[in-house]
Amino acid sequence: MERKEKDNASSANSSGDESSRKRERDRSSPRDKDTKEGIHLLLNIPAGVSRESVHSDQSNGSSNNENLPERRQSRRKRPRVEYKEMDDKLANLSEDEYFSEEEKMSKQPPPPPPPVPEPPKPVEEEEVESEPEEPTVGLDGAAFSARLPADKMTSQEAACFPDIVQSPPQTQKLFLYIRNRLLQLWYENPKVQLTFENALPLIEAPYNSDGPLVMRVHTYLERHGYVNFGIYKRLKPLPAKKFGKVLVIGAGISGLAAARQLQTFGMDVTVLESRDRVGGRVATFRKGSYVADLGAMVVTGLGGNPLTIISKQVNMELHKIKQKCPLYESNGNTSGLSVLVPKEKDEMVEREFNRLLEATSFLSHQMDFNYMQTKPVSLGQALELVIKLQEKQVKEQKCRHVRKIIEMQEDMKSFQNKLIGLKDSILMLQKQYKEANEVKTPRDVTSEFVVKAKQRDLQQAVKDYEELKDKLKDLEGKVTELENNPPSDVYLSSRDRQILDWHFANLEFANATPLSTLSLKHWDQDDDFEFSGHHLTVRNGYSCVPVALSEGLDIKLYTAVRQIRYSHSGVEVVTANTKSQGGNYTYKADAVLVTLPLGVLKQSPPAVTFVPPLPDWKMAAIQRLGFGNLNKVVLCFDRIFWDQTVNLFGHVGSTTASRGELFLFWNLYRAPVLIALVAGEAAQIMENVSDDVIVGRTLAVLKGIFGNNAVPQPKETVVTRWRADPWSRGSYSYVAAGSSGNDYDLLAIPVTPAPVVPGAMPQPNNLPRVFFAGEHTIRNYPATVHGALLSGLREAGRIADQFLGPPYAVPRQTPPVAHQ
């Protein structure tokens, strides 16, 4: 079976599910399938489990299995571009308005070529190694890669170009062509700065006739991080004179991306980082030939992913992750060796896992079962509730089965009593018929009538007897059949539940938290925005990205922020040196960009104080949103003893409580390195266990799978404890019960010195001074490296627009000067 992983912003930050979350996500939304299927799942799910495995009734799902979510991580849906469409009247232009007749003809697709028959694939064909595919870069492809609609202006574009929105449709078409063409030029060569001067001659006539518009579109795309971001060769030097001072707190992906952008825009930028390195939760262990990512390690598709650009600029050794993932379970044999879970069993339990998720979606989105006794319902609660409903139905079916047998046995008893009565009647009728028939002839009319009547009654009684005997025999056969085919005594056998718990652990890995803490309604709110393409790992270590992004920046390492003071005149940031334990130092600037992990913002007592305190709406969002935990055990060996053809293999735990302990192993690197994951409740529990014990448990699991003599002692080991890390306090964000995607938006809103209502227009004398970026501030791409990157680009554009002004603004008309 396939398992999919969700890239995350921490070690824990790799995932799923994804099993994953988010799923997943790949998945078609359960909300799209919530009608008859949902009712069937929730109200009349087949008892579904035989004595030893999920009931074969569920194999009916196999034919529809391609439509079911793949959940070896988090549930994931179809990719969708990220944008908010402008007003439909302006956005949805008709074909006649939008294209000329020649263009309409040129847009007609060519006739499809005749289909070429493909050779049949072997059933167990191994995945072939291939280089990561890159999205096609046409005009539409360029817009897709930038997460924009190719044929519509977004709400942000409409706000930045009000003159274009108010212009005729042909002007909007001109804007879109220029925008898409500039994106295409950037995607064709992202290693070199795309300047307006170089781009203008490459835009075809007549679209290049309006030079000022091309310049405005170019500066808009540059300001908001659609072109000229990352690490590229500059054709124009950085501005010699700096305008405005910005402090960036945190040298993670979001902070570094924002700092590079702000530096490019001509602002004075200083990055404050408490660690002795850059990258934050992107951390790579390196020793000799050994490489292992302790934090983020997965690129979840290249289609629409800004990391596609970074991968062309930086030496990222991307490698496709094979999704095949065999599961091993302990079967209690005397050898102590684990055995491979049969494929049929694995697939059946996975189908049941998906059905359970669909049922919880139906509960939430169709039955509005989102609160229980005024408290928000978690995904874990809903899953256990559906399982209990299934168990209840199994018991009820068992009772119905027994009652039916009893009813049939009562019918059999009644038939047998009737047969006894009929038999007595037949004997009596035989005697009477014999006596009547013994009357000597000639018989009178009365005697003849008696003989005929007795004969008729006897024949009818015999007929009734035979019919009743046949019915009794038929009933006996049905009773025997029922007794020989009883329904399952349980919904899930202990073995089934252990395998199901493995899938639950995979989902907990994708979301970095126990399912009991996830919001039932909103846990997968970002699924529509998953990128297309294979999931990839960075074989030379993900830390190559933040190291490259940090080049040329003013970064103060060992600098922990203790207090942020902000006012109408600017900001002051009080720091402490984490290396020398020296005195405090205060930095002053016009604005501060806070990229502290959500776990640090949630910390109580606070690790960083704000003066004045952050507004209540901001603090409430910080408290509502969840920040999870996921840990890794890295084992470096001197030789490979596992199947090198698979990147993943799973270990099925023995109990529900320990299901996330060392449940999944990753084989991703050239050197003999395995990474074991610890998710769910186990992630927190094992932070309090020593490295020796954890490594010993991990080796015991491997010896159970491969044999005692096959597993050598590791040469190097690393055990992460992200929750205990004072600079992260966990792995990555999730939508907790009681939270929603809105909280990501609230966390992204900058803060002003004086209170304002969120969404209100900023006042000139009360401009925002404290800005926020990070994976916990981007609703559509949370818990991912690309989400952190995009949030940094977003805030850099916001800060620059506020302090430098938008270079793409509508040119002011100079009033004519009257001649004297």
PDB file of all heavy atoms in Angstrom, residues 268-283:
ATOM      1  N   ASP A 268      17.112  48.565   5.520  1.00  0.00           N
ATOM      2  CA  ASP A 268      18.178  48.114   6.404  1.00  0.00           C
ATOM      3  C   ASP A 268      17.616  46.999   7.290  1.00  0.00           C
ATOM      4  O   ASP A 268      16.676  47.226   8.053  1.00  0.00           O
ATOM      5  CB  ASP A 268      18.663  49.292   7.259  1.00  0.00           C
ATOM      6  CG  ASP A 268      19.876  48.928   8.097  1.00  0.00           C
ATOM      7  OD1 ASP A 268      20.400  47.810   7.935  1.00  0.00           O
ATOM      8  OD2 ASP A 268      20.304  49.772   8.919  1.00  0.00           O
ATOM      9  N   VAL A 269      18.188  45.815   7.189  1.00  0.00           N
ATOM     10  CA  VAL A 269      17.606  44.643   7.846  1.00  0.00           C
ATOM     11  C   VAL A 269      18.640  43.979   8.741  1.00  0.00           C
ATOM     12  O   VAL A 269      19.784  43.757   8.329  1.00  0.00           O
ATOM     13  CB  VAL A 269      17.092  43.612   6.820  1.00  0.00           C
ATOM     14  CG1 VAL A 269      16.381  42.467   7.529  1.00  0.00           C
ATOM     15  CG2 VAL A 269      16.171  44.266   5.807  1.00  0.00           C
ATOM     16  N   THR A 270      18.213  43.638   9.956  1.00  0.00           N
ATOM     17  CA  THR A 270      19.024  42.836  10.865  1.00  0.00           C
ATOM     18  C   THR A 270      18.191  41.658  11.342  1.00  0.00           C
ATOM     19  O   THR A 270      17.041  41.841  11.753  1.00  0.00           O
ATOM     20  CB  THR A 270      19.502  43.658  12.071  1.00  0.00           C
ATOM     21  OG1 THR A 270      20.305  44.752  11.607  1.00  0.00           O
ATOM     22  CG2 THR A 270      20.322  42.796  13.028  1.00  0.00           C
ATOM     23  N   VAL A 271      18.770  40.467  11.284  1.00  0.00           N
ATOM     24  CA  VAL A 271      18.081  39.246  11.708  1.00  0.00           C
ATOM     25  C   VAL A 271      18.635  38.834  13.065  1.00  0.00           C
ATOM     26  O   VAL A 271      19.862  38.724  13.235  1.00  0.00           O
ATOM     27  CB  VAL A 271      18.272  38.109  10.686  1.00  0.00           C
ATOM     28  CG1 VAL A 271      17.519  36.854  11.134  1.00  0.00           C
ATOM     29  CG2 VAL A 271      17.804  38.546   9.301  1.00  0.00           C
ATOM     30  N   LEU A 272      17.751  38.595  14.021  1.00  0.00           N
ATOM     31  CA  LEU A 272      18.135  38.172  15.366  1.00  0.00           C
ATOM     32  C   LEU A 272      17.774  36.705  15.542  1.00  0.00           C
ATOM     33  O   LEU A 272      16.614  36.332  15.404  1.00  0.00           O
ATOM     34  CB  LEU A 272      17.413  39.032  16.414  1.00  0.00           C
ATOM     35  CG  LEU A 272      17.539  40.555  16.241  1.00  0.00           C
ATOM     36  CD1 LEU A 272      16.746  41.276  17.323  1.00  0.00           C
ATOM     37  CD2 LEU A 272      18.998  40.986  16.275  1.00  0.00           C
ATOM     38  N   GLU A 273      18.760  35.881  15.838  1.00  0.00           N
ATOM     39  CA  GLU A 273      18.562  34.434  15.944  1.00  0.00           C
ATOM     40  C   GLU A 273      19.163  33.919  17.246  1.00  0.00           C
ATOM     41  O   GLU A 273      20.339  34.150  17.539  1.00  0.00           O
ATOM     42  CB  GLU A 273      19.202  33.723  14.751  1.00  0.00           C
ATOM     43  CG  GLU A 273      19.236  32.210  14.842  1.00  0.00           C
ATOM     44  CD  GLU A 273      17.875  31.578  15.070  1.00  0.00           C
ATOM     45  OE1 GLU A 273      16.949  31.876  14.283  1.00  0.00           O
ATOM     46  OE2 GLU A 273      17.739  30.808  16.041  1.00  0.00           O
ATOM     47  N   SER A 274      18.361  33.200  18.024  1.00  0.00           N
ATOM     48  CA  SER A 274      18.811  32.713  19.325  1.00  0.00           C
ATOM     49  C   SER A 274      19.728  31.501  19.212  1.00  0.00           C
ATOM     50  O   SER A 274      20.545  31.255  20.103  1.00  0.00           O
ATOM     51  CB  SER A 274      17.599  32.357  20.190  1.00  0.00           C
ATOM     52  OG  SER A 274      16.801  31.387  19.520  1.00  0.00           O
ATOM     53  N   ARG A 275      19.620  30.728  18.161  1.00  0.00           N
ATOM     54  CA  ARG A 275      20.439  29.525  18.007  1.00  0.00           C
ATOM     55  C   ARG A 275      21.844  29.879  17.518  1.00  0.00           C
ATOM     56  O   ARG A 275      22.145  31.034  17.204  1.00  0.00           O
ATOM     57  CB  ARG A 275      19.780  28.565  17.019  1.00  0.00           C
ATOM     58  CG  ARG A 275      18.365  28.110  17.390  1.00  0.00           C
ATOM     59  CD  ARG A 275      17.846  27.163  16.311  1.00  0.00           C
ATOM     60  NE  ARG A 275      16.426  26.858  16.472  1.00  0.00           N
ATOM     61  CZ  ARG A 275      15.967  25.837  17.193  1.00  0.00           C
ATOM     62  NH1 ARG A 275      16.813  25.046  17.818  1.00  0.00           N
ATOM     63  NH2 ARG A 275      14.658  25.616  17.277  1.00  0.00           N
ATOM     64  N   ASP A 276      22.660  28.845  17.397  1.00  0.00           N
ATOM     65  CA  ASP A 276      24.008  29.011  16.858  1.00  0.00           C
ATOM     66  C   ASP A 276      24.041  28.731  15.365  1.00  0.00           C
ATOM     67  O   ASP A 276      25.116  28.577  14.783  1.00  0.00           O
ATOM     68  CB  ASP A 276      24.988  28.093  17.579  1.00  0.00           C
ATOM     69  CG  ASP A 276      24.605  26.615  17.434  1.00  0.00           C
ATOM     70  OD1 ASP A 276      23.516  26.327  16.886  1.00  0.00           O
ATOM     71  OD2 ASP A 276      25.388  25.744  17.865  1.00  0.00           O
ATOM     72  N   ARG A 277      22.881  28.644  14.750  1.00  0.00           N
ATOM     73  CA  ARG A 277      22.783  28.335  13.322  1.00  0.00           C
ATOM     74  C   ARG A 277      21.526  28.978  12.769  1.00  0.00           C
ATOM     75  O   ARG A 277      20.648  29.428  13.508  1.00  0.00           O
ATOM     76  CB  ARG A 277      22.707  26.814  13.108  1.00  0.00           C
ATOM     77  CG  ARG A 277      21.509  26.195  13.799  1.00  0.00           C
ATOM     78  CD  ARG A 277      21.291  24.737  13.448  1.00  0.00           C
ATOM     79  NE  ARG A 277      20.154  24.179  14.178  1.00  0.00           N
ATOM     80  CZ  ARG A 277      18.877  24.326  13.818  1.00  0.00           C
ATOM     81  NH1 ARG A 277      18.568  25.031  12.744  1.00  0.00           N
ATOM     82  NH2 ARG A 277      17.910  23.783  14.537  1.00  0.00           N
ATOM     83  N   VAL A 278      21.427  28.989  11.447  1.00  0.00           N
ATOM     84  CA  VAL A 278      20.201  29.444  10.790  1.00  0.00           C
ATOM     85  C   VAL A 278      19.346  28.226  10.458  1.00  0.00           C
ATOM     86  O   VAL A 278      19.808  27.091  10.507  1.00  0.00           O
ATOM     87  CB  VAL A 278      20.520  30.244   9.514  1.00  0.00           C
ATOM     88  CG1 VAL A 278      21.323  31.492   9.840  1.00  0.00           C
ATOM     89  CG2 VAL A 278      21.253  29.375   8.495  1.00  0.00           C
ATOM     90  N   GLY A 279      18.096  28.454  10.113  1.00  0.00           N
ATOM     91  CA  GLY A 279      17.223  27.363   9.660  1.00  0.00           C
ATOM     92  C   GLY A 279      16.059  27.071  10.569  1.00  0.00           C
ATOM     93  O   GLY A 279      15.046  26.533  10.122  1.00  0.00           O
ATOM     94  N   GLY A 280      16.192  27.371  11.880  1.00  0.00           N
ATOM     95  CA  GLY A 280      15.084  27.089  12.779  1.00  0.00           C
ATOM     96  C   GLY A 280      14.775  25.612  12.839  1.00  0.00           C
ATOM     97  O   GLY A 280      15.624  24.783  13.188  1.00  0.00           O
ATOM     98  N   ARG A 281      13.548  25.257  12.465  1.00  0.00           N
ATOM     99  CA  ARG A 281      13.129  23.858  12.490  1.00  0.00           C
ATOM    100  C   ARG A 281      13.521  23.093  11.230  1.00  0.00           C
ATOM    101  O   ARG A 281      13.129  21.949  11.047  1.00  0.00           O
ATOM    102  CB  ARG A 281      11.618  23.787  12.734  1.00  0.00           C
ATOM    103  CG  ARG A 281      11.234  24.146  14.161  1.00  0.00           C
ATOM    104  CD  ARG A 281       9.755  24.417  14.287  1.00  0.00           C
ATOM    105  NE  ARG A 281       9.411  25.728  13.761  1.00  0.00           N
ATOM    106  CZ  ARG A 281       8.184  26.116  13.418  1.00  0.00           C
ATOM    107  NH1 ARG A 281       7.188  25.265  13.526  1.00  0.00           N
ATOM    108  NH2 ARG A 281       7.965  27.328  12.966  1.00  0.00           N
ATOM    109  N   VAL A 282      14.291  23.742  10.369  1.00  0.00           N
ATOM    110  CA  VAL A 282      14.963  23.038   9.269  1.00  0.00           C
ATOM    111  C   VAL A 282      16.389  22.793   9.745  1.00  0.00           C
ATOM    112  O   VAL A 282      17.217  23.704   9.755  1.00  0.00           O
ATOM    113  CB  VAL A 282      14.960  23.860   7.973  1.00  0.00           C
ATOM    114  CG1 VAL A 282      15.720  23.130   6.878  1.00  0.00           C
ATOM    115  CG2 VAL A 282      13.529  24.136   7.527  1.00  0.00           C
ATOM    116  N   ALA A 283      16.652  21.573  10.193  1.00  0.00           N
ATOM    117  CA  ALA A 283      17.942  21.251  10.802  1.00  0.00           C
ATOM    118  C   ALA A 283      18.438  19.917  10.254  1.00  0.00           C
ATOM    119  O   ALA A 283      17.667  18.957  10.175  1.00  0.00           O
ATOM    120  CB  ALA A 283      17.818  21.178  12.327  1.00  0.00           C
TER     121      ALA A 283
END
